Amino acid sequence: KTEKETEEHRKKKSSLERRIQEQRELLENEKKTSIEVTNSKSKEMAEILKNIDTLEDEKTMHQKKQLSVEKTIKEYKLKVENLEGQQNCIQRKMTDNDKRMSKYKVKRSNLETYIDKEVQRTKESTLEIQSKINLLESDLATLDCEENEDTKEINSMQSFFDDMIAKKETELECPVCLDTASSPIFCCPDFHLICSQCLPKLPKPAKCPLCRKKFGNNIRRHRYAESILVELQELRQKKKIMGN
């Protein structure tokens, strides 16, 4: 080789060796830097890892709680379904009871109407029969009076008429004014009489002074009492005739 080539070769070699040395120094610096970074971040990494472990533990705990809550929810859902079933059963029974109760109420209403009609019919029939009995008794008294002209018998008949008249007057006594009622005569639902003079004077709503039941809007005429009034007038007339 020439001297020139040798010199160039030496320069290249020296340049390469210098560059290698620089790269080695750079590598060494990188290693130092890496070690320094690792050392400086190790505490932070440890803290991060600790936090991760803590969060993992909390996650596990929350998952257990979640499973427990889900189990409890399922149990309560079963209880709710059971209670809803019981509620539906009770509701069906209540509906059935309401239907049966409605039927019984209709039967009760029909029976009450029937009983009221029968009671009313019986009262009217009783009053009619009693009126006939009274008329027959009056006719009998008149007949006895005609058959016995003796003064003693006449006095006895007059006494009989007095008793009958007193009885009729008692039956026709108004419970308010205590006088003998004159026609028209009115009555409450229980057939307690009141005279036409006292009825308008009662406080509204008008109530029977004996049983305290309301007279209502359609006040009844006491036909039986009015028939007794006719009997009373006939008895007074017969007594007057007998006296003459």
Side-chain angles (χ1 to χ4, degrees):
K1 293 181 180 180
T2 62
E3 186 176 337
K4 185 178 179 180
E5 290 176 347
T6 303
E7 182 64 26
E8 288 179 357
H9 179 72
R10 185 184 63 76
K11 287 181 179 179
K12 287 181 179 181
K13 181 180 179 180
S14 176
S15 175
L16 290 171
E17 290 176 347
R18 186 176 64 254
R19 291 174 61 188
I20 290 171
Q21 183 63 32
E22 290 176 353
Q23 292 299 318
R24 285 177 177 174
E25 290 177 356
L26 182 61
L27 178 60
E28 188 67 24
N29 289 334
E30 288 296 325
K31 288 181 177 181
K32 289 180 179 180
T33 301
S34 177
I35 292 171
E36 290 175 356
V37 169
T38 301
N39 291 336
S40 64
K41 298 297 182 179
S42 60
K43 291 183 178 180
E44 184 178 350
M45 179 62 72
E47 186 67 24
I48 291 172
L49 292 174
K50 181 181 178 182
N51 291 335
I52 290 173
D53 290 339
T54 301
L55 292 173
E56 288 289 343
D57 293 339
E58 290 180 356
K59 180 180 178 181
T60 301
M61 181 183 66
H62 291 320
Q63 287 176 341
K64 289 181 179 179
K65 287 184 177 180
Q66 184 180 16
L67 291 174
S68 176
V69 170
E70 289 176 352
K71 181 181 178 181
T72 303
I73 290 173
K74 288 181 180 180
E75 291 175 352
Y76 278 115
K77 283 183 178 180
L78 290 174
K79 289 182 179 180
V80 169
E81 290 176 357
N82 184 35
L83 291 174
E84 287 177 346
Q86 294 180 21
Q87 183 185 33
N88 292 333
C89 181
I90 292 171
Q91 186 63 42
R92 287 194 296 271
K93 289 182 179 180
M94 290 175 63
T95 301
D96 183 60
N97 286 344
D98 289 340
K99 291 180 181 179
R100 294 170 61 189
M101 188 182 297
S102 297
K103 292 180 180 179
Y104 281 117
K105 284 182 177 179
V106 172
K107 290 182 179 180
R108 183 190 67 182
S109 178
N110 293 336
L111 184 59
E112 287 176 347
T113 301
Y114 172 78
I115 291 172
D116 289 342
K117 288 182 179 179
E118 284 299 309
V119 170
Q120 181 66 24
R121 184 190 64 78
T122 302
K123 286 183 178 180
E124 292 176 354
S125 177
T126 301
L127 293 174
E128 183 179 355
I129 293 171
Q130 185 62 44
S131 177
K132 290 180 180 180
I133 291 173
N134 292 335
L135 288 174
L136 290 173
E137 288 178 346
S138 176
D139 291 341
L140 178 61
T142 302
L143 182 62
D144 290 341
C145 182
E146 291 174 354
E147 291 177 352
N148 298 288
E149 298 178 355
D150 186 80
T151 304
K152 184 176 179 180
E153 291 296 327
I154 293 175
N155 292 336
S156 177
M157 286 303 299
Q158 287 182 338
S159 177
F160 172 78
F161 277 119
D162 289 338
D163 292 340
M164 290 292 294
I165 290 171
K167 179 180 177 181
K168 302 296 183 185
E169 289 176 344
T170 300
E171 291 179 2
L172 295 174
E173 183 180 273
C174 175
V176 180
C177 65
L178 304 180
D179 290 334
T180 302
S182 58
S183 185
I185 303 174
F186 300 97
C187 66
C188 72
D190 280 352
F191 289 89
H192 297 133
L193 66 81
I194 187 170
C195 72
S196 58
Q197 301 297 320
C198 294
L199 179 60
K201 299 177 183 178
L202 293 177
K204 303 299 181 183
K207 294 181 181 179
C208 175
L210 296 178
C211 66
R212 305 306 299 168
K213 289 186 178 180
K214 294 180 180 179
F215 283 96
N217 294 328
N218 298 322
I219 302 176
R220 296 180 181 179
R221 291 277 294 273
H222 202 317
R223 299 299 182 183
Y224 174 64
E226 291 178 353
S227 69
I228 293 177
L229 178 61
V230 173
E231 295 172 10
L232 175 61
Q233 292 170 347
E234 290 177 353
L235 287 171
R236 286 173 176 171
Q237 183 64 26
K238 289 177 180 180
K239 180 184 177 182
K240 183 178 180 180
I241 293 173
M242 184 177 294
N244 296 333

